[in-house]
Amino acid sequence: MRAVVAPEPGTPEVLTIEEVSDPRPAAGEVVIDVVAAGVNRADLLQRQGNYSPPPGAPTWLGLECSGTVTELGDGVSEWQVGDQVCALLTGGGYAEQVAVPAVQVLPVPRGVDLIEAAGLPEVACTVWSNVIDVGKLQPGETLLVHGGGSGIGTMAIQVAKALGARVLVTCGSDAKVQRCQALGAEGINYRTDDFVETTKNLTDGRGADVVLDVIGAKYLTRNVDVLAKGGRLVVIGLQGGVKGELNLGALMGKRASVHGTTLRARPTVDKGRIVAAVRREIWPLIESGAIRPVIDRTVDWSDAGDAHRAMESGENFGKILLRVTDG
Ligand SMILES: NC(=O)c1ccc[n+]([C@@H]2O[C@H](COP(=O)([O-])OP(=O)(O)OC[C@H]3O[C@@H](n4cnc5c(N)ncnc54)[C@H](OP(=O)(O)O)[C@@H]3O)[C@@H](O)[C@H]2O)c1
C-alpha cells in the first residue's frame, strides 16, 4: 500500500507518498481501508523529527482516520467487514490502510459523512479525557480554552456548552474570536487583551474553574492566576515551552491543581476506556446535532505538505482533513 512519509525530518516539502508494507491485523485488531485522515499539530512535530512514534506504531504520520473495515484479527467480534468507522490511532493514518485495536474504533455518527468523521476521534477523545475526566468540568462552571479556533478548541467549546458550562476562549485574531462566538463561546483576542484580566472581569473576579491549555511554560503563571478557587489547570500542549516556574503558594491558596496528559502514548486499555466514554457521552450529542464537526478544509493526500503549511501558519479554524481515497 501507499502512505505519506517524511523520509527525513524537515519542512512540509519532505512529505511524499511512498510504498510501505501492508498492515496485518494482530489479535484484537481490525484493518481499515482509509478514506480520510485528520491532520493534528502533533503530526507537524513528528514531521520535524521532534515527536517519535511509540514503539510498534507505524513510522508514517496520522493519529486518526475514517474508512471501511476490511479485515478482522483473532477475537474481534464487535466489528464486521464493511462497517464504516473512524478510529483513534497511535500512528499510520496517512495511508491507504491501517491496523488498529478494535477498542479504538468508533462508528461513524449518524448525520456525519465518512470523510468528516476522520476529524472526530482525536479531538473528541482529547476533550473528553481532559475537560470531563481529568478537569471534571461541571454544569454552571467556567472553562477557559486557549486556542479556541483549533481543532481541539472547537470541540471543547461545543462539549462544554452541551454540558451546561460557560466557555471563554483565547484566539489570535478577531475573525477567530467571532467564529468561536458563533459556537457559543466568549472570545478574548490574546494579541490585544490580557486573558487573566478579561476572564476575571467577565466572572466577577472568580476566574475559570477549568483551563484547557495548549501553550505550557509561557502561560503557566498566568494560567494559575486565572484559576478560580478549586480550579483545575490541564496542560495538553507545549507550544510556549516545556519548563516553567510554578508558584506553589498561589496554587495552595486556591486549593487548585495542575495536570498534564498525552493521549498517543497511553496503553491500549486506557485508550479503549476513553473511546468507550466518547461513544457513550459525546456521540449522542453529535447525532442530535448539539455538536458538529468543524472542518476547515479537506485536501487530497498528495497535498499533505499544503495541509501542514496551513496548520503551521495558523490559518485553520477547526480541523484540516486529508482525502486518501474516494471511499
Ligand atoms: N496532550 C494531548 O493528548 C493532545 C492531544 C491533541 C492535541 N493536543 C495539543 O492541542 C493543541 C491543539 O491541537 P490541534 O491539532 O487542534 O492544533 P491547531 O488546530 O493547529 O491549533 C493550535 C492552536 O494554538 C493556538 N495558539 C497558538 N499560540 C497561542 C497563544 N499564545 N495563546 C493562545 N492560543 C494560541 C492557535 O490559536 P490562533 O491561531 O488563534 O493563534 C491555534 O488555535 C496542540 O498544542 C496539540 O499539540 C494535545
Side-chain angles (χ1 to χ4, degrees):
M1 68 157 183
R2 293 173 304 156
V4 174
V5 301
E8 75 267 356
T11 58
E13 289 69 38
V14 300
L15 295 178
T16 170
I17 295 178
E18 280 183 6
E19 283 292 324
V20 297
S21 51
D22 289 354
R24 301 286 316 142
E29 290 187 343
V30 304
V31 171
I32 297 171
D33 265 13
V34 176
V35 167
V39 176
N40 289 280
R41 194 149 272 264
D43 303 342
L44 313 187
L45 296 175
Q46 184 172 334
R47 189 205 70 226
Q48 292 159 353
N50 295 326
Y51 192 31
S52 304
T59 53
W60 43 99
L61 306 175
L63 297 176
E64 59 187 342
C65 73
S66 60
T68 306
V69 174
T70 51
E71 230 179 310
L72 306 176
D74 286 348
V76 175
S77 55
E78 63 269 52
W79 301 107
Q80 306 297 323
V81 169
D83 284 347
Q84 295 208 321
V85 296
C86 53
L88 181 70
L89 307 173
T90 307
Y94 293 14
E96 288 174 316
Q97 293 186 313
V98 66
V100 54
V103 294
Q104 291 173 214
V105 178
L106 288 149
V108 174
R110 272 189 308 280
V112 173
D113 76 38
L114 187 56
I115 288 181
E116 284 183 333
L120 287 172
E122 182 73 18
V123 292
C125 291
T126 301
V127 167
W128 183 86
S129 68
N130 291 289
V131 175
I132 309 292
D133 195 30
V134 174
K136 308 221 173 326
L137 184 71
Q138 301 298 313
E141 286 193 329
T142 299
L143 170 69
L144 171 65
V145 180
H146 289 304
S150 62
I152 296 291
T154 51
M155 177 57 73
I157 294 169
Q158 298 185 84
V159 168
K161 290 301 289 183
L163 181 75
R166 180 177 185 187
V167 186
L168 311 185
V169 297
T170 58
C171 300
S173 70
D174 290 342
K176 285 193 184 180
V177 162
Q178 280 160 18
R179 295 186 70 178
C180 289
Q181 284 167 343
L183 290 174
E186 294 158 77
I188 303 165
N189 184 332
Y190 66 76
R191 295 187 201 279
T192 55
D193 293 308
D194 178 66
F195 71 81
V196 178
E197 193 185 312
T198 310
T199 302
K200 292 218 169 142
N201 287 342
L202 289 170
T203 57
D204 297 325
R206 274 193 78 246
D209 300 288
V210 178
V211 176
L212 184 63
D213 177 53
V214 295
I215 301 302
K218 189 173 144 201
Y219 276 3
L220 181 58
T221 299
R222 283 190 283 161
N223 277 337
V224 172
D225 283 352
V226 84
L227 283 178
K229 288 262 157 53
R232 291 82 74 196
L233 165 61
V234 190
V235 181
I236 62 163
L238 299 168
Q239 294 178 67
V242 177
K243 288 188 184 169
E245 199 170 278
L246 178 61
N247 182 339
L248 292 167
L251 200 68
M252 289 163 73
K254 291 183 171 184
R255 302 181 302 281
S257 54
V258 180
H259 307 258
T261 77
T262 61
L263 186 56
R264 186 182 196 182
R266 289 190 186 205
T268 302
V269 63
D270 225 6
K271 289 184 185 153
R273 179 183 72 85
I274 293 167
V275 166
V278 162
R279 184 171 180 176
R280 189 176 66 239
E281 296 177 27
I282 310 277
W283 253 223
L285 295 167
I286 296 174
E287 295 188 339
S288 75
I291 293 176
R292 58 182 178 81
V294 178
I295 309 299
D296 178 79
R297 71 190 78 178
T298 302
V299 304
D300 193 84
W301 71 327
S302 58
D303 296 322
D306 292 342
H308 277 215
R309 255 187 302 274
M311 182 171 270
E312 232 150 44
S313 62
E315 282 170 27
N316 60 303
F317 183 84
K319 297 288 301 189
I320 299 176
L321 305 179
L322 301 180
R323 192 185 312 98
V324 176
T325 68
D326 293 331

